[in-house]
Amino acid sequence: MWGAAQEPEAATMEQGLEVALTDFQSAWNNMQHHTDEISSDRLLVRRGQAFNITLYFRNRGFQPGLDNIIFVAETGPLPDLSNGTRALFSLTGRHGPSPWIASLETNGASSLEVILCAPPVAAVGRYLLKVHIDSFQRSVTAYQLGEFILLFNPWCPEDSVYLDSEPQRQEYVVNDYGFIYQGNKNWIRPCPWNYGQFEETIIDICLELLDKSLNFQINPATDCALRGSPIYISRVVCAMINSNDDNGVLNGNWSENYLDGINPAEWTGSVAILKEWHATGCQPVRYGQCWVFAAIMCTVMRCLGIPTRVITNFDSGHDTDGNLIIDERYDSMGRILENKKKDSVWNFHVWNECWMARKDLPPGYGGWQLLDATPQETSNGLYYCGPASVRAIKEGEVELNYDTAFAFSMVNADCMSWLVYRGKEQKIHRDTNTVGNSISTKGIQSDERDDITENYKYIEGSPQEREVFLKALQKLKAGRSEDPHQADSQHSTPEPQSGDGLWRLHTPSLRPSDIVQVSLKFQLVDPPHMGQDISFVLLALNMSLQFKDLKVNLTAQSLLHDGSPLPPFWQDTAFITLSPEEAKTHSCRIPYSQYSRYLSTDKLIRISALGEEKSSPEKILVDKIITLAYPAIIINVLGAAVVNQPLSIQVLFSNPLSEHVEDCVLTVEGSGLFKKQQRVLIGVLKPQHRASITLETVPFKSGQRQIQANLRSNKFKDIKGYRNVYVDLRL
């Protein structure tokens, strides 16, 4: 970036040194600082790493001993030396003990190349660079050289976000696409996502997001001074992704009514959302759910230079009263009831991990930190969660900052099942294994799923896992007894009505099936495809040497991914007589015509069976979550992909249903391939109809890229597809 120096702020002597032009060497510096994907015209550098600029003089060259050059770097609306948002540092190093460094590289006849370096603890953000020139100890001339942006530096060992693996830095800072895992633990599917952190204007939107935070609005000087801390930045960004306390980026919506916005399932990338937020004067975009919040957070944090990944936890606990027990209630047909206490097990929940040192915690708790931007519970009165050390979660150190207790419950709470009958509650079973399964993230420089469950918990059922659970529970109880405001509140631990008190937590209760000696299990006959009937069997096995007479109530109901039940739409009753050690099957079928009207966007159906045996009061409850699958969009790249050369992309899609669908819209995007998201109005698709379109584009970035596509209609919202493309720099 070249810049003509602004007119001097004070009069200069004739023989004084005058700056005519400044070359920020943006293209070269940005390449060295891993920011060249953002821009080659603007200077974007990382702290703790040197960068070069050249000053061109009007009347003569720089003369050491005669000329003293002092650089000034300022950030924020109220730059101040004492809080680190203003720095003065000279070429000679004589001007005070500033941690910023300037040194002479080459001294030409009328130019001067200088090496500058911001300290690895400097506040990140937009800086103004000035220079004061003192010639012959006479008058001082001041010039504004221009603006630059300073970012976190995971390549710098002294930076608190330093990551010592280059493949991990490439994946968690540089990679601009990925997968967010959805579905259920038995059917995990990757949802392609365009993070686009290096797209044009995204860095400016990220800095605008910091300036719109409540912290900046209340005290901008303090906020800017604290921006050198990734702990602080991560909490600010986490609160700003949702809009519960401020004009954050996204409105959350779990109501199934999205008429005044976009269904969360339709999004395929962060760029369109962030650009809409900026274009509307920072009005929250409608709508998001957990994976969208986490994806936006990933984009912002990677853009700022903090290594970040997106994590999916299957069967994720939401424990609202802090007793590490998720209470679920069922009626006499085995249907899950709406929970008044709002405890729930989310089918999957998505959050972030950010990599940083934690000098505020005891040694050993740095590294990956959980951050959850989905507005679930408040932290210090605001809707954000974290950073919570992943190691602290695994070890049950729930008292450590921030929000570690809530994070622990998401992966390791116990689940208590209650039967509600005639106003009374009967405990069916306490399950220690339900919550926290198949914790997943995208593999490093791979499209494979990486299972990281062992980072969060010891093996389910192992002595260490129960020990950690008990330790966490005791720390929570101790914390509550010390707080008089919480002692009598809703956070007190309820005693289960069965009398199975806290002292028996280390011994999971016997399953009713163990007592009755009858096992029930669901099994799908065919893979569950959208538009087709669902066929399954109930397997009943008598494990005893006595005859068993069973009555089994079967139901089906749709679920939202946060565990909220929708009204049941199918039920059946089976009477099964079993001889000693006999197994029998009961066949079931739910027609598409019956379930289609009741299906949520999440395409989740919960089938359940509540069995009772004549001679026993025990009830046996089994269930199975079914995720209905769509046929994926197929994307073909026609020919070689080369920067600045036309490229044809074929997109094949189909209507999987046996009925007309209307209002079909295809969206296609991909960082480095399309300047903006492409929207193609398809209109009506006939039953089972296959169609294809060809799009033309001109790739503008080289390297590994990804195309993401989504097809929506009045009957479905999220038929997805993706294709990886390698773009060559030249033919």
Side-chain angles (χ1 to χ4, degrees):
M1 181 179 77
W2 286 80
Q6 292 193 8
E7 282 302 305
E9 294 173 6
T12 178
M13 288 176 62
E14 191 176 334
Q15 61 269 56
L17 191 62
E18 296 179 30
V19 178
L21 288 171
T22 309
D23 179 8
F24 273 4
Q25 301 187 33
S26 300
W28 164 256
N29 285 320
N30 291 4
M31 189 178 295
Q32 302 306 307
H33 286 249
H34 310 276
T35 60
D36 51 312
E37 285 256 330
I38 302 176
S39 174
S40 58
D41 302 321
R42 308 158 62 191
L43 183 61
L44 300 112
V45 293
R46 299 186 186 276
R47 59 191 198 169
Q49 183 176 340
F51 59 98
N52 292 26
I53 68 167
T54 306
L55 304 179
Y56 290 90
F57 303 112
R58 183 169 281 119
N59 51 344
R60 62 177 176 82
F62 170 72
Q63 296 179 33
L66 292 178
D67 302 313
N68 185 24
I69 295 182
I70 299 163
F71 290 95
V72 183
E74 298 177 339
T75 187
L78 300 164
D80 183 72
L81 279 172
S82 62
N83 66 19
T85 51
R86 186 170 195 258
L88 291 171
F89 51 108
S90 72
L91 264 182
T92 58
R94 290 200 300 265
H95 196 91
S98 173
W100 289 66
I101 297 168
S103 59
L104 197 153
E105 174 77 347
T106 54
N107 188 6
S110 61
S111 66
L112 182 70
E113 187 172 8
V114 181
I115 300 171
L116 306 179
C117 187
V121 295
V124 301
R126 200 183 305 277
Y127 277 78
L128 180 61
L129 185 64
K130 302 176 182 178
V131 69
H132 294 177
I133 300 177
D134 180 1
S135 296
F136 310 115
Q137 304 299 312
R138 305 277 181 93
S139 63
V140 175
T141 313
Y143 298 89
Q144 285 194 14
L145 301 183
E147 281 191 351
F148 68 95
I149 290 172
L150 187 68
L151 301 172
F152 289 101
N153 193 353
W155 284 266
C156 172
E158 287 77 41
D159 197 309
S160 51
V161 301
Y162 174 64
L163 191 55
D164 66 359
S165 158
E166 181 60 19
Q168 289 190 42
R169 291 191 293 252
Q170 288 297 318
E171 182 63 53
Y172 301 134
V173 181
V174 177
N175 198 358
D176 60 7
Y177 67 87
F179 301 105
I180 301 171
Y181 294 95
Q182 300 179 347
N184 66 67
K185 67 184 175 192
N186 298 315
W187 189 77
I188 297 173
R189 72 180 182 100
C191 173
W193 196 271
N194 176 25
Y195 296 119
Q197 69 268 28
F198 300 136
E199 287 287 291
E200 196 176 359
T201 75
I202 292 300
I203 180 63
D204 302 295
I205 296 171
C206 293
L207 296 178
E208 181 179 28
L209 182 144
L210 297 180
D211 289 348
K212 292 294 179 185
S213 73
L214 289 178
N215 299 39
F216 183 86
Q217 303 298 322
I218 293 165
N219 191 334
T222 301
D223 174 74
C224 288
L226 290 170
R227 289 184 185 178
S229 162
I231 300 168
Y232 177 79
I233 286 276
S234 66
R235 278 177 77 75
V236 168
V237 171
C238 202
M240 278 301 297
I241 300 300
N242 67 68
S243 61
N244 287 46
D245 311 297
D246 42 45
N247 270 10
V249 176
L250 273 169
N251 264 339
N253 186 341
W254 287 264
S255 72
E256 289 288 287
N257 178 10
Y258 310 112
L259 291 175
D260 58 346
I262 302 284
N263 186 314
E266 293 180 34
W267 298 112
T268 50
S270 306
V271 177
I273 295 169
L274 287 165
K275 285 187 173 180
E276 182 180 330
W277 177 75
H278 167 75
T280 57
C282 306
Q283 292 303 303
V285 177
R286 302 176 180 150
Y287 287 104
Q289 289 182 10
C290 65
W291 67 93
V292 192
F293 290 114
I296 298 290
M297 176 108 185
C298 183
T299 296
V300 174
M301 298 302 269
R302 285 186 185 180
C303 186
L304 295 175
I306 299 176
T308 303
R309 57 189 188 180
V310 176
I311 310 296
T312 302
N313 178 34
F314 291 93
D315 302 325
S316 188
H318 185 170
D319 173 27
T320 57
D321 55 8
N323 66 349
L324 299 186
I325 297 172
I326 310 288
D327 293 299
E328 293 195 311
R329 290 169 171 79
Y330 302 85
D331 68 9
S332 58
M333 291 294 292
R335 297 176 293 209
I336 194 166
L337 299 172
E338 186 71 58
N339 198 324
K340 291 174 188 160
K341 206 178 74 175
K342 296 299 180 189
D343 272 11
S344 57
V345 177
W346 292 36
N347 205 56
F348 66 87
H349 181 49
V350 184
W351 58 69
N352 298 99
E353 285 178 5
C354 296
W355 182 272
M356 63 188 74
R358 290 298 301 270
K359 290 176 183 168
D360 58 319
L361 300 182
Y365 291 104
W368 289 117
Q369 310 291 315
L370 179 151
L371 286 134
D372 189 353
T374 300
Q376 296 185 83
E377 301 293 318
T378 58
S379 172
N380 291 344
L382 297 178
Y383 278 96
Y384 51 14
C385 175
S389 163
V390 172
R391 181 167 173 240
I393 295 166
K394 181 171 183 172
E395 300 299 338
E397 303 294 349
V398 293
E399 79 285 7
L400 296 181
N401 283 342
Y402 292 88
D403 312 305
T404 310
F406 185 75
F408 182 90
S409 73
M410 292 197 290
V411 298
N412 220 358
D414 283 0
C415 202
M416 189 86 83
S417 303
W418 301 87
L419 179 67
V420 180
Y421 186 63
R422 292 180 180 171
K424 294 185 178 178
E425 294 185 356
Q426 172 190 346
K427 190 183 91 162
I428 305 174
H429 177 54
R430 180 188 197 124
D431 193 336
T432 63
N433 302 327
T434 297
V435 170
N437 290 293
S438 302
I439 302 175
S440 302
T441 193
K442 178 185 176 295
I444 298 166
Q445 297 186 310
S446 155
D447 285 355
E448 297 303 308
R449 181 179 68 89
D450 195 1
D451 190 308
I452 58 167
T453 309
E454 67 176 5
N455 293 2
Y456 280 87
K457 59 204 291 192
Y458 290 98
I459 295 169
E460 283 289 3
S462 68
Q464 295 138 301
E465 186 266 339
R466 281 292 94 186
E467 283 168 21
V468 166
F469 183 90
L470 274 173
K471 176 168 79 170
L473 195 68
Q474 264 138 22
K475 282 176 182 275
L476 287 172
K477 283 183 73 186
R480 259 186 234 118
S481 62
E482 289 167 12
D483 185 349
H485 300 292
Q486 287 194 2
D488 300 317
S489 75
Q490 62 174 355
H491 291 276
S492 59
T493 303
E495 283 296 319
Q497 294 180 20
S498 66
D500 181 18
L502 289 174
W503 59 89
R504 288 187 53 203
L505 280 176
H506 61 287
T507 52
S509 56
L510 281 172
R511 293 177 177 273
S513 57
D514 298 330
I515 298 167
V516 183
Q517 292 191 288
V518 171
S519 157
L520 296 177
K521 184 181 178 183
F522 283 117
Q523 200 167 64
L524 286 167
V525 175
D526 299 303
H529 290 296
M530 179 64 75
Q532 298 177 9
D533 297 350
I534 301 170
S535 296
F536 59 96
V537 294
L538 178 71
L539 302 170
L541 171 64
N542 182 2
M543 298 179 286
S544 75
L545 298 175
Q546 285 83 40
F547 281 87
K548 298 285 183 180
D549 283 318
L550 295 180
K551 177 189 176 186
V552 184
N553 292 325
L554 298 109
T555 59
Q557 62 193 127
S558 283
L559 288 182
L560 304 184
H561 91 273
D562 68 357
S564 304
L566 299 179
F569 56 80
W570 174 89
Q571 62 186 54
D572 187 16
T573 303
F575 295 93
I576 304 170
T577 300
L578 294 170
S579 303
E581 299 184 329
E582 183 185 16
K584 281 186 178 176
T585 61
H586 175 75
S587 297
C588 305
R589 188 173 65 87
I590 307 175
Y592 169 70
S593 59
Q594 188 164 2
Y595 72 74
S596 61
R597 289 170 293 153
Y598 298 95
L599 208 55
S600 74
T601 308
D602 298 310
K603 306 178 293 298
L604 298 172
I605 292 175
R606 176 185 176 275
I607 52 175
S608 63
L610 186 69
E612 52 187 316
E613 204 272 326
K614 280 184 180 176
S615 61
S616 171
E618 293 288 339
K619 305 286 193 296
I620 309 167
L621 177 69
V622 294
D623 66 2
K624 187 176 184 68
I625 307 289
I626 297 170
T627 306
L628 292 153
Y630 287 125
I633 293 171
I634 296 169
I635 302 170
N636 295 319
V637 178
L638 309 178
V642 181
V643 170
N644 295 329
Q645 297 293 318
L647 180 67
S648 297
I649 294 163
Q650 182 189 46
V651 184
L652 298 106
F653 52 92
S654 61
N655 171 13
L657 307 181
S658 302
E659 56 184 317
H660 282 80
V661 294
E662 301 172 357
D663 306 323
C664 296
V665 178
L666 179 73
T667 57
V668 182
E669 63 180 292
S671 283
L673 296 166
F674 298 95
K675 287 285 188 182
K676 64 177 184 177
Q677 188 184 66
Q678 307 295 301
R679 291 172 60 84
V680 184
L681 303 179
I682 306 296
V684 177
L685 280 176
K686 295 175 182 175
Q688 307 287 330
H689 181 67
R690 294 174 178 271
S692 80
I693 64 159
T694 301
L695 299 171
E696 303 291 333
T697 190
V698 178
F700 54 96
K701 289 184 180 180
S702 62
Q704 192 67 46
R705 303 287 158 193
Q706 189 184 76
I707 303 166
Q708 301 90 9
N710 184 75
L711 179 68
R712 72 164 171 87
S713 73
N714 62 332
K715 296 285 185 183
F716 49 76
K717 302 300 175 192
D718 62 335
I719 295 183
K720 306 276 186 196
Y722 73 92
R723 180 66 180 259
N724 293 344
V725 184
Y726 189 84
V727 181
D728 285 307
L729 200 52
R730 56 183 63 85
L731 283 167

